[in-house]
Amino acid sequence: MFFSFLVVVILTAVALVVAAMTIAKLIGPRSYNAQKGEPYECGVPTRGQSWVQFRAGYYLYAILFLMFDIETVFLFPWAVIVEEIGIYAIVSISFFLVILVLGLAYAWKKGALKWK
């Protein structure tokens, strides 16, 4: 029963994506020119190579930001039901926060939060 429901959901998702892409292709504007293919930044034409290698520190900083930003998504449902669960809620969220603080301490010690 569950497997057939899962297959229906997956097939529906695939059908909706294909339908959306087909409709967009059929009714979308079709004006192609070389200028549309050029990379630009805020309307200013680029000079030199557009493909520039970035330091990995930028990506690491972004991943750390997302990790601690997603933490708040998990804290909100917990805050809603904390009174219903009781002491178990406090213990479980404390464990969760300890793991996050250890991750932050590790990243800080490795120098991931420093801009060089």
Side-chain angles (χ1 to χ4, degrees):
M1 182 68 180
F2 177 73
F3 181 71
S4 61
F5 176 73
L6 187 64
V7 168
V8 168
V9 168
I10 290 173
L11 289 176
T12 304
V14 169
L16 288 174
V17 169
V18 168
M21 290 178 70
T22 304
I23 291 170
K25 189 74 169 172
L26 291 175
I27 66 173
R30 291 186 177 84
S31 63
Y32 301 107
N33 59 29
Q35 189 176 11
K36 284 188 175 183
E38 292 181 10
Y40 68 96
E41 181 67 30
C42 298
V44 178
T46 58
R47 285 185 250 161
Q49 288 271 344
S50 297
W51 292 96
V52 180
Q53 188 174 18
F54 290 99
R55 289 188 21 236
Y58 296 120
Y59 299 110
L60 184 59
Y61 195 80
I63 288 171
L64 287 172
F65 172 76
L66 285 175
M67 181 179 75
F68 289 105
D69 191 42
I70 297 297
E71 165 195 356
T72 59
V73 172
F74 290 121
L75 285 177
F76 181 74
W78 169 82
V80 171
I81 62 166
V82 69
E83 288 183 6
E84 296 173 18
I85 297 177
I87 193 70
Y88 178 73
I90 302 294
V91 170
S92 63
I93 204 63
S94 298
F95 182 69
F96 178 69
L97 290 174
V98 164
I99 290 174
L100 283 172
V101 167
L102 288 174
L104 178 62
Y106 177 77
W108 198 337
K109 183 179 178 191
K110 288 290 189 178
L113 302 176
K114 292 181 183 176
W115 291 104
K116 295 179 184 177

